[in-house]
Amino acid sequence: MNIQQAKEEITNTIKAYLSRDELGNYRIPSLRQRPVLLMGPPGIGKTQIMEQIAAQTGIGLISYTITHHTRQSAIGLPFIEHRTYDGEDVTVTEYTMSEILASVHNLMEKTGIREGILFIDEINCVSETLAPMMLQFLQCKTFGNQKLPEGWIIVAAGNPPEYNKSVRDFDVVTLDRVRRINVEPDFTVWKQYADKKGLHGAVVSYLDINKDSFFQIETTADGLQFATARGWEDLSELLTTYEQIGIKVSREVIEEYIQMPSIARDFANYLELYYKYQQIYHVDEILKGSWQKINLIQLQDAPFDERIAVMSLILSRLREDCRRARHLDQLCVALHEHLLKVRDQAADGAACTGVLRELAEQTRRQLRSGMQAGNLDIPTRNAGLRVIHALEDYQSRLQTEGVPEKKQFDRLKAYFTQHIAARDQAADLAHTHLDNAFAYLEKAFGDSQEMVLFVTELTAGEHTSWFIQNFGCDAYFRHNQDLLFEDRRKDLNRQIIQAKRAEQVQKEEEMSDAELLRAIMTKTEEDNKQTEGEN
């Protein structure tokens, strides 16, 4: 299955394991809650989906890469304990608490979260001395003589032997006590993730054209060569940052991330063309609606790869516009809720500046708690930081401007109106850019396959689809209707053909052997006459 299907399966497993009966007991006892064993190639996002699952379900997450641990850190250090058995004093060996289990208890103590995921990565690459303890951990959920707290679910991940020479095979006894999920790389799923995270347009468009380059691992005469999802994502982050600070990415830098020379060279060449198209086609002018006719003619006569690259440049800018409008909309919604609290507390005599300070600190504590629990994803963190910055800005402006306490809330409403105006301005800009992009591409492509692809990409994009749903786009709805009509027409044709075939099969089943033979001979004669007439 792909990584998205694995995420859904693990989420359902967690819901089932943490489900309780009417007496408050877990419906599936801890002993029968099989650990999930996630097996798949390196770099396809196994760790990321655990963070996403924890964020969505609101439970804790502790992550460890077990290859970084020794036997002592995993199961604890031995110490001598004095005991009395049958009236005789004896010394026995006990163990301190495992560092891993101690992290679970620390999280529960700091956050108050009593349920969560203990994620152990590279589970099948442990050292020889630690291997027996890992098997015991999967089978019995204990490290040494210490047990994993109830309500905590084990998810382990590993790489199949074809990707890692250090892996150990699990025996049947262990495999019969886990839920094994095999995961394969899937570009379509990764592309949705890339759109949500806002990865670099050149990376996404290149892989859209060269899907085979998304994930490859080969052993050659020159050694191991590979391109992975993790490599593309990290390269994308670097490309974006380099552009922002004015540094050019060299081919050697690309090869540091995409460690398959043929793919790295190919992407480096594509990246040069990508930047070249930015200069030739002037995307800013296209989105402003002020493109030159020569620009349009050049795109009409361009080869397919160039047409797709230019469309990707336009889509990348539209995604940024829609993402910004969405972030501002989220900020306005959150600030509105906070200002209602300020209003209510101010009515009871509280100073607006004090309430703003407390709301900002409250949001900061929530972010800190989420980070400690391991269930705070990046979009949620960034949204929270934007709220904190806005609340602190409100508080600072009230104090700097010396606004009297009785007039502070009215001034806050004026500040909030500025945020609303910024959101509306961003939405208007995105709307204008969408309309101009459609106008330009309609003239360049007409009703060609490229136009279908453009509409499809807008539909699939998380931020673009959100924007169109909330703010509308007449050109999009017009093209989308045409696509739906065409899909419906094709579907009806398929249904008619299937019905005719079914009717023919039924007639043939009802015929006797002699009748069927005569029908076949008649059809053959008709076909032969038609062929002779054509000749």
Side-chain angles (χ1 to χ4, degrees):
M1 62 176 65
N2 62 45
I3 199 73
Q4 181 61 32
Q5 292 168 330
K7 177 183 173 182
E8 293 172 0
E9 186 62 35
I10 295 171
T11 302
N12 290 338
T13 299
I14 290 169
K15 289 178 180 178
Y17 284 179
L18 299 183
S19 173
R20 296 175 182 266
D21 62 19
E22 63 279 2
L23 299 177
N25 301 312
Y26 289 111
R27 285 191 169 89
I28 301 176
S30 178
L31 184 63
R32 296 299 175 196
Q33 293 180 4
R34 289 192 173 199
V36 175
L37 179 59
L38 199 60
M39 297 295 289
I44 63 171
K46 296 188 288 291
T47 304
Q48 283 88 338
I49 67 164
M50 302 316 305
E51 296 170 353
Q52 294 168 18
I53 291 170
Q56 290 172 7
T57 55
I59 61 178
L61 174 65
I62 294 290
S63 297
Y64 275 98
T65 301
I66 202 62
T67 50
H68 298 168
H69 283 269
T70 64
R71 188 174 188 274
Q72 287 75 20
S73 64
I75 69 170
L77 294 171
F79 65 91
I80 302 300
E81 181 72 19
H82 295 277
R83 298 285 177 85
T84 300
Y85 294 128
D86 293 332
E88 183 178 347
D89 292 334
V90 297
T91 56
V92 296
T93 302
E94 293 280 353
Y95 287 88
T96 59
M97 179 172 281
S98 157
E99 176 189 327
I100 297 174
L101 292 185
S103 297
V104 173
H105 287 281
N106 287 338
L107 184 147
M108 292 193 295
E109 200 170 285
K110 287 180 179 178
T111 66
I113 295 175
R114 311 302 299 178
E115 299 173 330
I117 303 167
L118 177 54
F119 178 61
I120 305 294
D121 201 7
E122 299 183 8
I123 187 72
N124 55 346
C125 293
V126 295
S127 64
E128 188 173 348
T129 56
L130 189 54
M133 300 310 303
M134 283 297 99
L135 298 181
Q136 178 193 1
F137 174 65
L138 289 175
Q139 294 173 13
C140 308
K141 301 181 182 176
T142 60
F143 276 124
N145 56 2
Q146 319 258 326
K147 190 172 180 62
L148 182 69
E150 196 175 38
W152 280 77
I153 296 157
I154 299 171
V155 179
N159 305 135
E162 60 264 31
Y163 300 107
N164 194 327
K165 296 179 181 179
S166 305
V167 303
R168 296 174 172 275
D169 290 330
F170 291 119
D171 55 31
V172 175
V173 175
T174 302
L175 290 174
D176 195 34
R177 286 173 168 80
V178 299
R179 293 184 59 174
R180 176 168 177 155
I181 299 177
N182 294 320
V183 188
E184 296 295 335
D186 187 320
F187 172 70
T188 302
V189 172
W190 184 84
K191 185 180 175 183
Q192 295 172 357
Y193 165 78
D195 173 73
K196 182 176 182 179
K197 195 167 183 184
L199 297 190
H200 198 281
V203 170
V204 178
S205 60
Y206 171 79
L207 293 176
D208 232 345
I209 300 169
N210 304 277
K211 293 181 175 61
D212 291 341
S213 300
F214 170 60
F215 195 97
Q216 287 190 34
I217 298 179
E218 294 180 2
T219 302
T220 69
D222 296 325
L224 189 65
Q225 298 181 355
F226 54 89
T228 68
R230 182 190 294 125
W232 288 114
E233 180 174 355
D234 291 347
L235 176 60
S236 170
E237 300 279 2
L238 186 79
L239 282 173
T240 301
T241 304
Y242 268 26
E243 287 178 7
Q244 291 168 347
I245 60 179
I247 299 177
K248 185 178 179 181
V249 176
S250 66
R251 181 172 298 182
E252 289 74 20
V253 169
I254 293 172
E255 289 181 351
E256 293 168 9
Y257 289 83
I258 308 303
Q259 298 184 42
M260 182 168 281
S262 59
I263 294 178
R265 285 194 300 269
D266 193 41
F267 177 71
N269 293 333
Y270 178 84
L271 187 61
E272 287 183 12
L273 290 172
Y274 189 85
Y275 289 142
K276 177 184 174 183
Y277 298 149
Q278 278 183 328
Q279 297 173 352
I280 293 175
Y281 287 96
H282 305 290
V283 173
D284 285 339
E285 292 182 8
I286 292 172
L287 297 180
K288 289 176 183 177
S290 57
W291 65 82
Q292 300 295 320
K293 187 175 181 181
I294 185 67
N295 177 308
L296 189 66
I297 295 172
Q298 189 170 357
L299 184 60
Q300 289 171 337
D301 296 335
F304 179 75
D305 284 4
E306 184 170 333
R307 291 154 71 99
I308 295 300
V310 173
M311 189 178 70
S312 296
L313 283 167
I314 295 172
L315 278 167
S316 182
R317 283 292 308 278
L318 292 175
R319 291 187 186 110
E320 290 175 15
D321 292 337
C322 294
R323 185 184 298 111
R324 173 169 171 72
R326 188 177 190 183
H327 288 166
L328 287 172
D329 184 72
Q330 291 171 340
L331 177 60
C332 288
V333 171
L335 287 175
H336 182 259
E337 292 177 358
H338 284 306
L339 289 180
L340 290 177
K341 296 175 184 177
V342 174
R343 182 198 63 187
D344 293 342
Q345 294 186 42
D348 294 334
C352 289
T353 52
V355 179
L356 289 170
R357 187 185 307 111
E358 175 54 33
L359 288 172
E361 184 56 36
Q362 187 181 78
T363 305
R364 189 174 280 108
R365 285 195 299 268
Q366 290 172 349
L367 295 184
R368 192 180 302 122
S369 176
M371 291 177 66
Q372 291 174 342
N375 60 13
L376 181 69
D377 59 16
I378 293 176
T380 304
R381 182 201 66 186
N382 290 343
L385 289 174
R386 283 190 285 270
V387 170
I388 291 171
H389 292 162
L391 292 174
E392 290 178 341
D393 179 61
Y394 284 0
Q395 177 195 343
S396 175
R397 290 168 68 180
L398 286 176
Q399 292 173 335
T400 302
E401 296 170 13
V403 181
E405 194 169 306
K406 290 183 179 180
K407 297 183 178 180
Q408 284 184 352
F409 187 72
D410 288 336
R411 187 64 60 88
L412 283 178
K413 289 193 291 185
Y415 298 159
F416 179 65
T417 301
Q418 293 172 1
H419 270 108
I420 294 293
R423 181 203 61 186
D424 293 344
Q425 184 178 3
D428 289 343
L429 183 66
H431 202 284
T432 299
H433 286 179
L434 268 169
D435 287 342
N436 290 333
F438 268 105
Y440 176 79
L441 294 175
E442 283 170 350
K443 287 183 179 296
F445 300 146
D447 293 327
S448 66
Q449 194 63 30
E450 288 91 342
M451 203 67 209
V452 174
L453 181 60
F454 179 69
V455 175
T456 303
E457 289 294 320
L458 290 176
T459 305
E462 177 167 335
H463 300 293
T464 50
S465 62
W466 173 88
F467 181 86
I468 291 169
Q469 183 178 356
N470 286 273
F471 293 93
C473 177
D474 292 340
Y476 169 85
F477 290 123
R478 185 177 67 253
H479 280 276
N480 206 38
Q481 263 189 336
D482 292 342
L483 288 176
L484 290 172
F485 177 78
E486 181 64 17
D487 289 342
R488 181 58 180 159
R489 187 185 64 79
K490 290 178 180 178
D491 185 50
L492 286 172
N493 284 340
R494 282 194 296 269
Q495 291 179 24
I496 291 169
I497 292 170
Q498 290 172 355
K500 287 182 177 179
R501 286 176 179 170
E503 184 180 351
Q504 183 63 30
V505 169
Q506 185 177 358
K507 285 181 178 179
E508 291 176 356
E509 288 177 349
E510 293 173 354
M511 288 181 181
S512 65
D513 291 344
E515 289 174 330
L516 182 58
L517 181 60
R518 281 196 298 272
I520 293 173
M521 291 175 67
T522 302
K523 183 67 169 64
T524 304
E525 289 176 3
E526 291 175 353
D527 291 342
N528 289 338
K529 288 179 181 178
Q530 183 177 354
T531 303
E532 290 173 1
E534 291 174 354
N535 293 334

Coordinates of all heavy atoms in Angstrom, one line a residue, residues 14 64 67 72 86 127 158 166 173 175 182-183 192 197 221 233 239 394 397 408 434 458:
I14 N -5.1 2.8 15.9 CA -5.0 3.5 17.1 C -6.4 3.8 17.7 O -6.6 3.6 18.9 CB -4.3 4.8 16.9 CG1 -2.8 4.6 16.6 CG2 -4.4 5.8 18.1 CD1 -2.0 5.7 16.1
Y64 N 12.1 7.2 18.6 CA 13.5 6.8 18.8 C 14.0 6.1 17.5 O 13.2 5.3 17.0 CB 13.6 5.9 20.0 CG 13.8 6.7 21.3 CD1 12.7 6.9 22.1 CD2 15.0 7.2 21.7 CE1 12.8 7.6 23.3 CE2 15.1 7.9 22.9 CZ 14.0 8.1 23.7 OH 14.2 8.7 24.9
T67 N 18.9 2.3 16.4 CA 20.3 2.0 16.1 C 21.2 3.0 16.9 O 22.4 2.7 17.0 CB 20.5 2.2 14.6 OG1 20.0 3.4 14.2 CG2 19.9 1.0 13.8
Q72 N 22.4 -0.9 27.2 CA 22.2 -0.2 28.5 C 21.2 0.9 28.5 O 20.4 1.0 29.3 CB 23.6 0.3 29.0 CG 24.5 -0.8 29.5 CD 25.2 -1.5 28.4 OE1 25.2 -1.0 27.2 NE2 25.7 -2.7 28.7
D86 N 12.5 -16.9 51.6 CA 12.4 -18.1 52.6 C 13.3 -17.8 53.8 O 14.1 -18.7 54.3 CB 12.8 -19.4 51.9 CG 11.8 -19.8 50.8 OD1 10.6 -19.4 51.0 OD2 12.2 -20.4 49.9
S127 N 21.7 -3.7 17.2 CA 23.0 -4.5 17.4 C 22.6 -5.9 17.9 O 21.5 -6.2 18.4 CB 23.9 -3.8 18.4 OG 23.2 -3.8 19.7
G158 N 10.9 -0.3 9.7 CA 12.2 -0.9 9.3 C 12.3 -0.9 7.8 O 11.3 -0.6 7.1
S166 N 22.3 -4.3 6.9 CA 22.4 -4.5 8.3 C 21.1 -5.1 8.9 O 21.1 -5.3 10.2 CB 22.7 -3.2 9.0 OG 23.9 -2.6 8.5
V173 N 7.8 -16.4 15.4 CA 7.2 -16.1 16.7 C 7.0 -14.6 16.9 O 5.9 -14.2 17.4 CB 8.2 -16.6 17.9 CG1 7.6 -16.2 19.2 CG2 8.3 -18.1 17.8
L175 N 6.9 -12.3 14.3 CA 6.0 -11.8 13.2 C 4.6 -12.1 13.5 O 3.7 -11.4 13.1 CB 6.4 -12.4 11.9 CG 7.8 -11.9 11.3 CD1 8.1 -12.6 10.0 CD2 7.7 -10.4 11.0
N182 N 3.3 -3.3 4.7 CA 4.3 -3.0 3.7 C 3.9 -1.8 2.9 O 2.8 -1.7 2.4 CB 4.4 -4.2 2.8 CG 5.0 -5.5 3.5 OD1 5.8 -5.4 4.3 ND2 4.4 -6.6 3.1
V183 N 4.9 -0.9 2.8 CA 4.6 0.4 2.2 C 5.5 0.6 1.0 O 6.7 0.2 1.0 CB 4.9 1.6 3.2 CG1 4.4 2.9 2.6 CG2 4.2 1.4 4.5
Q192 N 0.6 15.3 -3.3 CA -0.4 16.0 -2.4 C 0.2 16.6 -1.2 O -0.1 17.7 -0.8 CB -1.5 15.0 -2.0 CG -2.3 14.5 -3.2 CD -3.3 13.3 -2.8 OE1 -3.3 12.9 -1.6 NE2 -4.1 12.9 -3.7
K197 N 2.6 21.3 1.8 CA 3.8 21.9 2.4 C 4.4 23.0 1.7 O 5.2 23.8 2.2 CB 4.8 20.8 2.7 CG 5.9 21.2 3.7 CD 6.7 20.0 4.2 CE 7.7 20.5 5.2 NZ 8.6 19.4 5.6
A221 N 28.3 -0.5 -10.3 CA 29.8 -0.7 -10.2 C 30.4 0.4 -9.4 O 31.5 0.3 -8.8 CB 30.4 -0.8 -11.6
E233 N 12.5 16.3 -0.9 CA 12.0 17.3 0.0 C 13.0 18.2 0.6 O 12.9 19.4 0.6 CB 11.2 16.6 1.1 CG 10.6 17.6 2.1 CD 9.7 16.9 3.1 OE1 9.5 15.7 3.0 OE2 9.2 17.6 4.0
L239 N 16.5 24.7 -2.1 CA 16.3 25.5 -3.3 C 15.5 26.8 -2.9 O 15.9 27.9 -3.3 CB 15.5 24.8 -4.3 CG 16.2 23.8 -5.2 CD1 15.3 23.0 -6.0 CD2 17.3 24.5 -6.1
Y394 N -0.8 43.9 18.9 CA -1.9 44.7 19.4 C -1.6 45.3 20.8 O -1.8 46.5 21.0 CB -3.1 43.8 19.6 CG -3.9 43.4 18.3 CD1 -3.4 43.9 17.1 CD2 -5.0 42.6 18.3 CE1 -4.1 43.5 15.9 CE2 -5.7 42.2 17.2 CZ -5.2 42.7 15.9 OH -5.8 42.3 14.8
R397 N 1.1 48.1 20.4 CA 0.5 49.4 19.8 C -0.4 50.1 20.8 O -0.3 51.4 20.8 CB -0.2 49.0 18.6 CG 0.7 48.5 17.4 CD -0.1 47.9 16.3 NE -0.9 48.9 15.5 CZ -1.6 48.6 14.5 NH1 -1.7 47.4 14.0 NH2 -2.3 49.6 13.9
Q408 N -9.7 51.3 24.6 CA -8.7 50.3 24.1 C -9.4 49.3 23.2 O -8.9 48.9 22.1 CB -8.0 49.6 25.2 CG -6.9 50.4 25.8 CD -6.1 49.7 26.9 OE1 -6.5 48.6 27.3 NE2 -5.0 50.3 27.3
L434 N -5.8 34.3 -10.7 CA -6.4 33.2 -11.2 C -7.1 33.5 -12.6 O -7.0 32.7 -13.5 CB -7.5 32.6 -10.2 CG -7.0 31.5 -9.3 CD1 -8.0 31.3 -8.2 CD2 -6.7 30.2 -10.0
L458 N -5.4 22.5 -10.1 CA -6.1 23.4 -9.2 C -7.0 22.7 -8.3 O -7.1 23.0 -7.1 CB -6.9 24.5 -10.0 CG -6.0 25.5 -10.8 CD1 -7.0 26.4 -11.6 CD2 -5.2 26.4 -9.8

